[in-house]
Amino acid sequence: QQQVKQSPQSLIVQKGGISIINCAYENTAFDYFPWYQQFPGKGPALLIAIRPDVSEKKEGRFTISFNKSAKQFSLHIMDSQPGDSATYFCAASMGDKIIFGKGTRLHILP
Amino acid sequence: EPEVTQTPSHQVTQMGQEVILRCVPISNHLYFYWYRQILGQKVEFLVSFYNNEISEKSEIFDDQFSVERPDGSNFTLKIRSTKLEDSAMYFCASCILNTGELFFGEGSRLTVL
């Protein structure tokens, strides 16, 4: 019930394409869904987040789509750039407990 | 910009030795966390700390682990008797409220030989 399932494990996208990473959760008590971006040798950094009372949130080229009934949410990166190459983690939180997905290694081809 | 700082960046130790990893969270943050990440794998929750006590811990956080906030700034993770499988990157994180908006440090790489 505490798991957050993330897919795919790795993703290769051409420069300018759309990168899509999906996550699913089970526990409906989760009330905050952040995405983190991690570059090699660095700690994860908060990228964008959404609460379950909205279905979409957009910040620049990054969009979260949220489907409360399906208990799924996804990250879309529009016009993907080589600098977006990193590992992306979805997460779900309730109170001070934050559970991470297993991560998606994204590689953008130049 | 305020940041979470961690020391050491890399520690090599012999199995069975005690290790202390140190963190200085962002100064006005109230919630503190330790996570670990085995190379290339997921970020695993260890423990959360609020108001000078542990608020949540995972099954990984057994009796070999302890956390402390000895003064107003440092937040430490102690591993009493390290095992080979403790080799990982350990991340400290903090947040101002108990939301998922964590600020992570750059990590301490622990290598147990």
Side-chain angles (χ1 to χ4, degrees), chain A residues 4 32 34 36 38 41-46 49 51 87 89 93-103 105, chain B residues 31 33 35 37 40-43 45 48-50 55-57 89 91 98-107:
Chain A
V4 177
Y32 189 74
Y36 285 83
Q38 184 181 30
K42 301 289 186 182
L46 179 67
R51 295 204 178 275
T87 300
F89 294 94
S93 78
M94 50 179 164
D96 62 353
K97 183 156 190 174
I98 301 119
I99 305 296
F100 284 79
K102 288 190 174 183
R105 195 166 293 183
Chain B
Y31 295 82
Y33 304 80
Y35 284 82
Q37 185 178 36
Q41 297 186 30
K42 70 183 290 187
V43 178
F45 170 75
S48 58
F49 191 87
Y50 170 71
S55 51
E56 191 93 39
K57 61 182 180 179
M89 183 74 97
F91 290 104
N98 61 341
T99 66
E101 292 185 8
L102 300 182
F103 289 79
F104 282 85
E106 299 223 324

Coordinates of all heavy atoms in Angstrom, one line a residue, chain A residues 4 32 34 36 38 41-46 49 51 87 89 93-103 105, chain B residues 31 33 35 37 40-43 45 48-50 55-57 89 91 98-107:
Chain A
V4 N 5.1 3.1 -4.6 CA 4.9 4.0 -5.7 C 5.6 3.3 -6.9 O 6.8 3.1 -6.8 CB 5.4 5.4 -5.5 CG1 5.3 6.2 -6.8 CG2 4.8 6.1 -4.3
Y32 N 0.2 14.6 -1.8 CA 1.1 15.5 -2.4 C 2.0 14.6 -3.3 O 2.5 13.6 -2.8 CB 1.9 16.3 -1.4 CG 2.8 17.4 -1.9 CD1 2.2 18.6 -2.4 CD2 4.2 17.2 -2.0 CE1 3.0 19.6 -2.9 CE2 5.0 18.2 -2.4 CZ 4.4 19.4 -2.9 OH 5.2 20.4 -3.4
P34 N 5.2 14.9 -5.7 CA 6.3 15.7 -6.3 C 7.1 14.8 -7.3 O 7.1 13.6 -7.2 CB 7.2 16.1 -5.1 CG 7.0 15.0 -4.1 CD 5.6 14.4 -4.4
Y36 N 11.1 14.6 -8.7 CA 12.5 15.0 -8.4 C 13.4 14.6 -9.6 O 13.2 13.6 -10.2 CB 13.0 14.3 -7.1 CG 12.5 14.9 -5.9 CD1 11.2 14.5 -5.4 CD2 13.1 15.9 -5.2 CE1 10.7 15.1 -4.2 CE2 12.6 16.5 -4.0 CZ 11.4 16.0 -3.6 OH 10.9 16.6 -2.4
Q38 N 17.4 14.1 -10.7 CA 18.8 13.8 -10.1 C 19.8 13.7 -11.2 O 19.7 12.8 -12.0 CB 18.7 12.6 -9.2 CG 20.0 12.3 -8.5 CD 20.0 11.1 -7.6 OE1 19.3 10.1 -7.9 NE2 20.8 11.1 -6.5
G41 N 25.9 12.1 -9.3 CA 26.8 12.7 -8.2 C 26.1 13.8 -7.4 O 26.7 14.4 -6.5
K42 N 24.8 14.0 -7.6 CA 24.1 15.1 -6.9 C 22.9 14.5 -6.2 O 22.5 13.3 -6.5 CB 23.6 16.1 -7.9 CG 24.7 16.8 -8.7 CD 25.5 17.7 -7.9 CE 26.5 18.5 -8.7 NZ 27.3 19.4 -7.9
G43 N 22.4 15.2 -5.2 CA 21.1 14.8 -4.6 C 19.9 15.1 -5.5 O 20.0 16.0 -6.4
P44 N 18.8 14.5 -5.2 CA 17.6 14.8 -6.0 C 17.2 16.2 -5.7 O 17.4 16.7 -4.6 CB 16.6 13.8 -5.4 CG 17.4 12.7 -4.7 CD 18.6 13.4 -4.3
A45 N 16.6 16.9 -6.7 CA 16.1 18.2 -6.6 C 14.7 18.3 -7.0 O 14.3 17.7 -8.1 CB 17.0 19.2 -7.4
L46 N 13.9 19.0 -6.3 CA 12.4 19.1 -6.6 C 12.3 19.8 -7.9 O 12.8 20.9 -8.1 CB 11.7 19.9 -5.5 CG 10.2 20.1 -5.7 CD1 9.5 18.8 -5.6 CD2 9.7 21.0 -4.6
A49 N 5.5 19.7 -8.6 CA 4.7 18.9 -7.7 C 3.2 19.2 -7.9 O 2.9 20.3 -8.4 CB 5.1 19.1 -6.3
R51 N -1.0 18.6 -6.2 CA -1.9 18.0 -5.2 C -3.1 17.4 -5.9 O -3.4 17.7 -7.0 CB -2.4 19.2 -4.3 CG -1.3 19.8 -3.5 CD -1.7 20.4 -2.2 NE -0.6 21.0 -1.5 CZ 0.1 20.3 -0.6 NH1 -0.2 19.0 -0.4 NH2 1.1 20.8 0.0
T87 N 18.1 11.3 -14.0 CA 17.2 10.3 -13.4 C 16.1 11.0 -12.8 O 16.3 12.0 -12.0 CB 17.9 9.4 -12.4 OG1 19.0 8.7 -13.1 CG2 16.9 8.4 -11.8
F89 N 12.6 10.8 -10.4 CA 11.9 10.1 -9.4 C 10.5 10.7 -9.2 O 10.4 11.9 -8.9 CB 12.6 10.0 -8.1 CG 13.9 9.3 -8.1 CD1 15.1 10.0 -8.4 CD2 14.0 7.9 -7.9 CE1 16.3 9.3 -8.4 CE2 15.2 7.3 -7.9 CZ 16.4 7.9 -8.2
S93 N 3.5 11.6 -1.0 CA 3.7 11.9 0.5 C 2.4 12.1 1.2 O 1.4 12.4 0.6 CB 4.6 13.2 0.6 OG 3.8 14.3 0.5
M94 N 2.4 11.7 2.5 CA 1.4 12.1 3.4 C 2.0 12.4 4.7 O 2.8 11.6 5.3 CB 0.4 10.9 3.6 CG 1.0 9.6 3.9 SD -0.2 8.3 4.1 CE 0.8 6.8 4.0
G95 N 1.8 13.6 5.2 CA 2.5 14.1 6.4 C 3.9 14.2 6.1 O 4.3 14.7 5.0
D96 N 4.8 13.7 6.9 CA 6.2 13.8 6.7 C 6.8 12.4 6.2 O 8.0 12.2 6.2 CB 6.9 14.2 8.0 CG 6.8 13.2 9.1 OD1 6.0 12.3 9.0 OD2 7.5 13.4 10.1
K97 N 5.9 11.6 5.7 CA 6.4 10.4 5.0 C 6.4 10.5 3.5 O 5.3 10.8 3.0 CB 5.6 9.2 5.4 CG 6.1 7.9 4.9 CD 5.7 6.7 5.7 CE 6.4 5.4 5.3 NZ 6.2 4.3 6.1
I98 N 7.5 10.4 2.9 CA 7.6 10.6 1.4 C 8.2 9.3 0.8 O 9.3 8.9 1.2 CB 8.4 11.8 1.0 CG1 7.8 13.1 1.6 CG2 8.6 12.0 -0.5 CD1 8.7 13.8 2.6
I99 N 7.4 8.7 -0.1 CA 7.9 7.4 -0.7 C 8.2 7.7 -2.1 O 7.4 8.4 -2.9 CB 6.7 6.4 -0.6 CG1 6.3 6.2 0.8 CG2 7.2 5.1 -1.2 CD1 7.3 5.6 1.7
F100 N 9.4 7.2 -2.6 CA 9.9 7.5 -3.9 C 9.6 6.3 -4.8 O 9.7 5.1 -4.4 CB 11.4 7.8 -3.9 CG 11.7 9.1 -3.4 CD1 11.7 9.4 -2.1 CD2 12.0 10.1 -4.3 CE1 12.0 10.7 -1.6 CE2 12.3 11.4 -3.9 CZ 12.3 11.7 -2.5
G101 N 9.4 6.5 -6.1 CA 9.4 5.5 -7.1 C 10.9 5.1 -7.3 O 11.8 5.6 -6.8
K102 N 11.0 4.0 -8.2 CA 12.4 3.5 -8.4 C 13.2 4.3 -9.3 O 14.4 4.0 -9.5 CB 12.3 2.0 -8.9 CG 11.8 1.1 -7.8 CD 11.9 -0.4 -8.3 CE 11.6 -1.3 -7.1 NZ 11.7 -2.7 -7.5
G103 N 12.6 5.3 -10.0 CA 13.4 6.1 -10.9 C 13.4 5.8 -12.3 O 13.2 4.6 -12.7
R105 N 15.7 6.5 -15.8 CA 16.9 7.1 -16.3 C 16.6 7.6 -17.7 O 16.3 6.8 -18.6 CB 18.0 6.1 -16.3 CG 19.4 6.7 -16.5 CD 20.5 5.7 -16.2 NE 20.5 5.3 -14.8 CZ 21.4 4.5 -14.2 NH1 22.3 3.9 -15.0 NH2 21.3 4.3 -13.0
Chain B
Y31 N 11.6 19.9 9.5 CA 11.6 18.4 9.4 C 12.8 17.9 8.7 O 13.3 18.6 7.7 CB 10.3 18.1 8.5 CG 9.0 18.4 9.1 CD1 8.5 19.7 9.1 CD2 8.3 17.4 9.8 CE1 7.3 20.0 9.7 CE2 7.1 17.7 10.4 CZ 6.6 19.0 10.4 OH 5.4 19.3 11.0
Y33 N 15.3 14.5 7.4 CA 15.2 13.1 6.9 C 16.6 12.6 6.5 O 17.5 13.3 6.2 CB 14.4 13.1 5.6 CG 13.0 13.7 5.7 CD1 12.8 15.1 5.6 CD2 11.9 12.9 5.8 CE1 11.5 15.7 5.7 CE2 10.6 13.4 5.9 CZ 10.5 14.8 5.9 OH 9.2 15.4 6.0
Y35 N 17.8 9.6 3.8 CA 17.5 8.6 2.8 C 18.8 7.9 2.4 O 19.9 8.5 2.6 CB 16.9 9.3 1.5 CG 15.4 9.6 1.7 CD1 15.1 10.8 2.3 CD2 14.4 8.8 1.2 CE1 13.8 11.2 2.4 CE2 13.1 9.2 1.3 CZ 12.8 10.4 1.9 OH 11.5 10.8 2.0
Q37 N 20.7 5.6 -1.0 CA 20.5 5.2 -2.4 C 21.7 4.3 -2.7 O 22.8 4.8 -2.8 CB 20.5 6.4 -3.3 CG 20.2 6.1 -4.8 CD 20.1 7.3 -5.7 OE1 20.9 8.3 -5.4 NE2 19.3 7.3 -6.7
G40 N 22.7 3.5 -8.3 CA 21.8 3.3 -9.5 C 20.4 2.8 -9.1 O 19.6 2.6 -10.0
Q41 N 20.1 2.8 -7.8 CA 18.8 2.2 -7.4 C 17.9 3.3 -6.8 O 18.3 4.5 -6.9 CB 19.0 1.1 -6.5 CG 19.7 -0.1 -7.1 CD 19.8 -1.3 -6.3 OE1 18.9 -1.6 -5.4 NE2 20.9 -2.1 -6.4
K42 N 16.8 2.9 -6.3 CA 15.9 3.9 -5.8 C 16.3 4.6 -4.5 O 17.2 4.1 -3.8 CB 14.5 3.2 -5.5 CG 14.5 2.3 -4.3 CD 13.1 1.6 -4.2 CE 12.1 2.5 -3.7 NZ 10.8 1.8 -3.4
V43 N 15.7 5.7 -4.3 CA 16.0 6.5 -3.1 C 15.1 5.9 -2.0 O 13.9 5.9 -2.1 CB 15.6 8.0 -3.3 CG1 15.8 8.8 -2.0 CG2 16.5 8.5 -4.4
F45 N 13.7 5.6 1.9 CA 13.5 6.3 3.2 C 14.1 5.6 4.3 O 13.9 4.3 4.5 CB 12.0 6.5 3.3 CG 11.6 7.0 4.7 CD1 11.8 8.4 5.0 CD2 11.0 6.2 5.6 CE1 11.4 8.9 6.2 CE2 10.6 6.7 6.9 CZ 10.8 8.0 7.2
S48 N 12.6 10.0 9.5 CA 12.2 11.4 9.6 C 12.3 11.8 11.0 O 12.1 11.0 12.0 CB 10.8 11.6 9.0 OG 9.8 10.9 9.6
F49 N 12.5 13.1 11.2 CA 12.8 13.6 12.5 C 12.2 15.0 12.7 O 12.3 15.9 11.8 CB 14.3 13.7 12.7 CG 14.9 14.0 14.1 CD1 15.1 13.0 14.9 CD2 15.2 15.3 14.5 CE1 15.7 13.2 16.2 CE2 15.7 15.5 15.7 CZ 15.9 14.5 16.6
Y50 N 11.4 15.2 13.7 CA 10.7 16.5 13.9 C 10.6 16.7 15.4 O 10.4 15.8 16.2 CB 9.3 16.4 13.3 CG 8.5 17.6 13.7 CD1 8.7 18.9 13.2 CD2 7.4 17.4 14.5 CE1 7.9 20.0 13.5 CE2 6.6 18.5 14.9 CZ 6.9 19.8 14.4 OH 6.1 20.9 14.7
S55 N 10.0 10.8 14.0 CA 8.5 10.8 13.7 C 8.1 9.5 12.9 O 7.0 9.1 13.0 CB 8.1 12.0 13.0 OG 8.9 12.3 11.9
E56 N 9.1 9.0 12.1 CA 8.8 7.9 11.3 C 10.1 7.2 10.9 O 11.1 7.9 10.8 CB 8.1 8.3 10.0 CG 7.5 7.3 9.1 CD 6.0 7.0 9.4 OE1 5.3 7.9 9.6 OE2 5.7 5.8 9.4
K57 N 10.1 5.9 10.9 CA 11.3 5.2 10.4 C 10.9 4.0 9.6 O 9.8 3.4 9.8 CB 12.2 4.8 11.6 CG 11.6 3.8 12.6 CD 12.5 3.6 13.7 CE 11.9 2.6 14.7 NZ 12.8 2.3 15.9
M89 N 24.9 5.7 -1.0 CA 25.0 7.1 -0.9 C 23.9 7.5 0.1 O 22.7 7.0 0.0 CB 24.7 7.8 -2.2 CG 24.8 9.3 -2.2 SD 26.5 9.8 -2.1 CE 26.8 10.1 -3.8
F91 N 21.7 10.4 1.8 CA 21.2 11.8 1.6 C 20.5 12.3 2.8 O 19.6 11.6 3.3 CB 20.3 11.9 0.4 CG 21.0 11.7 -0.9 CD1 20.8 10.5 -1.6 CD2 21.7 12.7 -1.5 CE1 21.5 10.3 -2.8 CE2 22.4 12.5 -2.7 CZ 22.2 11.3 -3.4
N98 N 5.7 19.8 6.8 CA 5.7 18.3 6.4 C 4.9 18.1 5.1 O 3.9 17.5 5.1 CB 5.1 17.5 7.6 CG 3.7 17.9 7.9 OD1 3.2 19.0 7.5 ND2 3.0 17.0 8.6
T99 N 5.5 18.6 4.1 CA 5.0 18.3 2.7 C 6.1 17.5 2.0 O 7.1 17.1 2.6 CB 4.9 19.6 1.9 OG1 6.2 20.2 1.8 CG2 4.0 20.6 2.7
G100 N 5.9 17.2 0.8 CA 6.9 16.5 0.0 C 8.0 17.4 -0.6 O 8.8 16.9 -1.4
E101 N 8.0 18.6 -0.2 CA 9.0 19.5 -0.8 C 10.3 19.5 -0.1 O 10.7 20.3 0.7 CB 8.5 21.0 -0.8 CG 7.3 21.2 -1.7 CD 6.9 22.6 -1.8 OE1 7.6 23.5 -1.2 OE2 5.8 22.9 -2.3
L102 N 11.1 18.4 -0.3 CA 12.3 18.2 0.3 C 13.5 18.9 -0.4 O 13.5 18.9 -1.6 CB 12.6 16.7 0.4 CG 11.7 15.8 1.1 CD1 12.1 14.4 1.1 CD2 11.4 16.3 2.5
F103 N 14.4 19.4 0.4 CA 15.6 19.9 -0.1 C 16.7 18.9 0.3 O 17.0 18.7 1.5 CB 15.9 21.3 0.4 CG 15.0 22.3 -0.1 CD1 13.7 22.5 0.4 CD2 15.4 23.2 -1.1 CE1 12.8 23.4 -0.1 CE2 14.5 24.1 -1.6 CZ 13.2 24.3 -1.1
F104 N 17.4 18.4 -0.7 CA 18.4 17.3 -0.4 C 19.8 17.9 -0.4 O 20.1 18.9 -1.2 CB 18.4 16.3 -1.5 CG 17.2 15.3 -1.4 CD1 16.0 15.6 -1.9 CD2 17.5 14.1 -0.7 CE1 14.9 14.6 -1.7 CE2 16.4 13.1 -0.6 CZ 15.2 13.4 -1.1
G105 N 20.7 17.3 0.4 CA 22.1 17.6 0.3 C 22.7 16.8 -0.9 O 22.0 16.1 -1.6
E106 N 24.0 17.0 -1.0 CA 24.7 16.3 -2.2 C 25.1 14.9 -1.8 O 25.5 14.2 -2.7 CB 25.9 17.1 -2.6 CG 25.5 18.5 -3.1 CD 26.3 18.9 -4.3 OE1 27.5 18.5 -4.4 OE2 25.7 19.6 -5.1
G107 N 24.9 14.5 -0.6 CA 25.1 13.1 -0.2 C 26.4 12.8 0.4 O 27.4 13.5 0.1

